[in-house]
């Protein structure tokens, strides 16, 4: 945020002439503008992210009736539970089944329907001890997020404004790493400690807090970009070029094109029962929580996949012939490319599920820290206004710092900025916007000065 005062906090500007060729004046001005213009987007991202962190626990409270049941004496066959769910939703198409992974958990039977948006499903929650359908909810994505978590997720991702809204989160993720690295350079390169009261104390809090959470903020910036609308394409291209894409079961074995997030096929279960398929998968080593994707059409296979995203990650999968029960192919998480594993772990850690509650607490602390730094930054900006009895804005660091840079250094900076602008388009467009605003402000001030002469 606005640690543009890092050197100004202790001595007057006139007493601190910048060394010729120093990048510090340029960093101060850039950090100032990022704090002023990107700060609101970072604030919304941090606040909505903070709301999202504990939504799994919140859902278990809000949807306790659907998600949990009293523990009974013996569970009904899984196929009977699926049949009960199909009777409750006769106009929907069966897609997947998630047996409860705890004694008090319901079985989730997941359906598609033509009127649902892509990646949205109807999920029936079935009591495994009685086969009673305890309720249905519209769920979202591979995590089967309920309505509350879906609403907060869409708020964090795009402010409920569709693809246009996603620009806000991409802007925040694109600039967050620049803000963090710039702040670290400014703080580490300060000439004397920023101690005292008022603005100096705020500066110390702002910089010390930022330094403490810098690594996590950089991680959130990088993983956030993988989900973004435009920079995400760049990440996908890089992963493809490095053969780091997430592998899939051979199409000839699984033929699971109908099991994708946007498919509304499936539902024609023939041959082996779901119970038999589950037992075969267990015998193939797929323990823990699993999801069973039913055949999309005659001749297709069941696909059973582990869905444990906490550490250690369990994401093995197997394709099973519904007629013979033969395991046609298996895919082990251990065989994933390093890049695919890192992507999986990065996404899960970003969502707060990789290490469970400690992961959630860490993210919550970092979100609160970022919110505090933004507030302190704006407060420091207010302290920098010309007089305390006016509503004038705080002064940015003086313009023209780039003119003092050696030409080779300036050319290198321009080249680096152009590369990042190309691969992070939202960063590039907004950088041009900052430059236009800065130029307009400079010309306006120059015109006023000339008019006063």
């Amino acid at each position: 945020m606005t640690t543009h005062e890092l050197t100004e906090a202790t001595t007057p500007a006139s007493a601190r002439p910048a060394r010729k060729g120093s990048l510090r004046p340029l960093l101060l001005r850039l950090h100032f503008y990022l704090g002023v213009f990107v700060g609101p987007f970072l604030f919304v991202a941090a606040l909505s992210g903070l709301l999202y962190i504990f939504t799994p626990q919140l859902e278990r409270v809000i949807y306790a009736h659907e998600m949990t049941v009293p523990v009974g004496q013996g569970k009904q066959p899984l196929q009977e539970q699926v049949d009960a769910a199909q009777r409750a939703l006769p106009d929907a198409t069966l897609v997947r089944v998630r047996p409860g992974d705890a004694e008090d958990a319901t079985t989730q039977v997941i359906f598609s329907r033509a009127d649902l948006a892509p990646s949205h499903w109807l999920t029936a929650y079935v009591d495994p001890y009685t086969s009673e359908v305890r309720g249905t909810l519209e769920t979202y994505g591979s995590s089967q997020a309920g309505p509350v978590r879906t609403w907060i997720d869409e708020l964090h991702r795009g402010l409920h404004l569709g693809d246009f809204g996603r620009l806000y989160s991409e802007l925040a993720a694109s600039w967050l790493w620049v803000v963090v690295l710039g702040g670290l350079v400014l703080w580490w390169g300060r000439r004397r400690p920023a101690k005292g009261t008022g603005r100096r104390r705020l500066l110390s809090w702002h910089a010390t807090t930022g330094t403490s959470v810098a690594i996590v903020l950089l991680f959130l910036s990088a993983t956030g970009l993988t989900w973004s609308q435009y920079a995400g394409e760049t990440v996908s291209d890089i992963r493809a070029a490095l053969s780091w894409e997430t592998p899939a079961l051979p199409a000839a074995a699984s033929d699971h094109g109908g099991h994708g997030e946007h498919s509304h096929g499936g539902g024609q279960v023939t041959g082996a029962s779901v119970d038999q398929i589950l037992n075969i998968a267990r015998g193939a080593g797929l323990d823990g929580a699993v999801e069973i994707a039913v055949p999309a059409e005659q001749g297709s296979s069941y696909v059973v996949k582990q869905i444990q995203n906490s550490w250690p990650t369990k994401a093995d999968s197997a394709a099973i012939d519904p007629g013979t029960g033969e395991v046609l192919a298996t895919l082990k998480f251990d065989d994933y490319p390093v890049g695919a594993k890192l992507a999986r772990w990065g996404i899960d850690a970003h969502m707060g599920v990789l290490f469970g509650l400690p992961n959630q607490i860490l993210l919550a602390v970092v979100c609160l820290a970022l919110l505090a730094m933004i507030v302190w930054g704006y407060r420091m900006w207010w302290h920098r206004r010309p007089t305390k009895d006016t509503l004038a804005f705080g002064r940015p660091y003086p313009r023209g710092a780039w003119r003092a840079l050696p030409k080779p250094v300036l050319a290198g900076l321009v080249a680096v900025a152009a590369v990042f602008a190309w691969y992070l388009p939202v960063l590039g467009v907004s950088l041009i916007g900052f430059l236009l605003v800065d130029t307009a402000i400079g010309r306006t001030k120059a015109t006023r000065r000339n008019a006063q002469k």
Side-chain angles (χ1 to χ4, degrees):
M1 249 312 283
T2 56
T3 54
H4 55 285
E5 306 92 345
L6 290 174
T7 53
E8 296 179 350
T10 55
T11 55
S14 59
R16 297 184 312 278
R19 295 187 302 272
K20 185 176 181 181
S22 172
L23 287 173
R24 187 175 184 80
L26 189 62
L27 278 176
L28 285 167
R29 190 165 181 85
L30 175 63
H31 203 67
F32 169 81
Y33 273 117
L34 292 180
V36 171
F37 294 115
V38 181
F41 298 96
L42 289 172
F43 191 92
V44 174
L47 183 60
S48 58
L50 182 63
L51 294 175
Y52 181 85
I53 290 168
F54 295 101
T55 50
Q57 289 91 335
L58 182 62
E59 280 193 324
R60 283 194 286 271
V61 173
I62 296 175
Y63 307 119
H65 178 75
E66 288 82 3
M67 301 181 72
T68 59
V69 294
V71 178
Q73 296 297 319
K75 293 185 177 182
Q76 299 296 311
L78 187 57
Q79 187 64 59
E80 289 188 14
Q81 300 174 49
V82 172
D83 293 341
Q86 288 185 295
R87 289 192 295 270
L89 294 170
D91 59 338
T93 303
L94 176 64
V95 178
R96 298 189 296 272
V97 181
R98 288 189 173 187
D101 58 349
E103 290 301 311
D104 64 345
T106 53
T107 297
Q108 298 180 28
V109 187
I110 304 158
F111 296 84
S112 66
R113 201 167 63 186
D115 61 328
L116 297 175
S119 298
H120 284 251
W121 317 96
L122 279 179
T123 298
Y125 297 84
V126 184
D127 186 331
Y129 300 100
T130 66
S131 294
E132 173 196 1
V133 177
R134 295 177 63 84
T136 61
L137 294 173
E138 183 175 337
T139 54
Y140 169 75
S142 59
S143 64
Q144 290 301 115
V148 169
R149 184 155 41 130
T150 299
W151 191 90
I152 297 176
D153 175 72
E154 292 178 352
L155 174 69
H156 180 65
R157 187 188 301 260
L159 302 177
H160 294 277
L161 296 175
D163 288 341
F164 176 77
R166 292 180 62 188
L167 292 174
Y168 112 85
S169 58
E170 183 164 357
L171 179 70
S174 296
W175 282 110
L176 178 57
W177 65 274
V178 181
V179 174
V180 172
L181 293 179
L184 289 175
V185 171
L186 291 173
W187 184 242
W188 290 341
R190 68 194 186 282
R191 300 186 183 176
R192 65 183 67 183
K195 297 179 180 179
T197 60
R199 183 163 61 90
R200 294 181 180 182
R201 181 170 57 188
L202 289 172
L203 172 60
S204 180
W205 291 349
H206 177 93
T208 302
T209 303
T211 301
S212 301
V213 300
I215 292 178
V216 181
L217 289 177
L218 291 173
F219 166 79
L220 292 175
S221 175
T223 51
L225 287 172
T226 64
W227 279 312
S228 62
Q229 190 170 3
Y230 297 104
E233 296 180 3
T234 298
V235 175
S236 297
D237 291 342
I238 293 173
R239 289 182 61 187
L242 296 174
S243 299
W244 280 3
E245 294 176 295
T246 301
L249 285 165
S254 62
D255 191 23
H256 62 215
H259 300 148
E261 285 291 299
H262 299 276
S263 170
H264 291 284
Q268 301 301 317
V269 183
T270 58
S273 69
V274 181
D275 300 85
Q276 292 172 314
I277 296 298
L278 179 59
N279 289 334
I280 294 169
R282 296 299 191 199
L286 274 66
D287 59 348
V290 297
E291 177 182 86
I292 305 168
V294 304
E297 56 189 15
Q298 295 295 333
S300 297
S301 63
Y302 283 92
V303 175
V304 184
K305 182 177 181 178
Q306 293 175 313
I307 54 174
Q308 177 179 306
N309 292 338
S310 58
W311 188 268
T313 300
K314 292 185 176 182
D316 296 354
S317 57
I320 301 173
D321 187 294
T324 65
E326 177 187 0
V327 177
L328 302 175
T330 59
L331 177 62
K332 302 292 185 180
F333 183 73
D334 288 343
D335 296 330
Y336 279 28
V338 172
K341 290 181 179 178
L342 292 176
R344 176 73 269 164
W345 291 328
I347 290 172
D348 293 337
H350 188 111
M351 296 176 65
V353 300
L354 184 60
F355 298 109
L357 186 59
N359 195 163
Q360 293 175 301
I361 292 174
L362 175 63
L363 291 180
V365 169
V366 172
C367 286
L368 289 171
L370 181 55
L371 292 171
M373 286 189 292
I374 294 170
V375 172
W376 292 332
Y378 278 108
R379 181 60 179 166
M380 288 188 288
W381 186 31
W382 175 252
H383 276 296
R384 282 178 53 79
R385 70 193 191 281
T387 60
K388 293 188 177 181
D389 57 353
T390 69
L391 295 178
F393 293 113
R395 298 184 302 273
Y397 200 83
R399 301 180 73 246
W402 60 272
R403 296 189 183 95
L405 295 175
K407 290 184 179 180
V409 174
L410 181 60
L413 287 176
V414 172
V416 170
V419 170
F420 279 108
W422 177 262
Y423 287 106
L424 304 177
V426 173
L427 181 148
V429 172
S430 56
L431 176 60
I432 294 173
F434 295 154
L435 294 175
L436 292 175
V437 169
D438 187 54
T439 301
I441 291 174
R443 289 184 175 178
T444 300
K445 289 183 176 180
T447 301
R448 289 178 180 174
R449 285 195 300 267
N450 293 333
Q452 292 173 356
K453 292 181 179 179

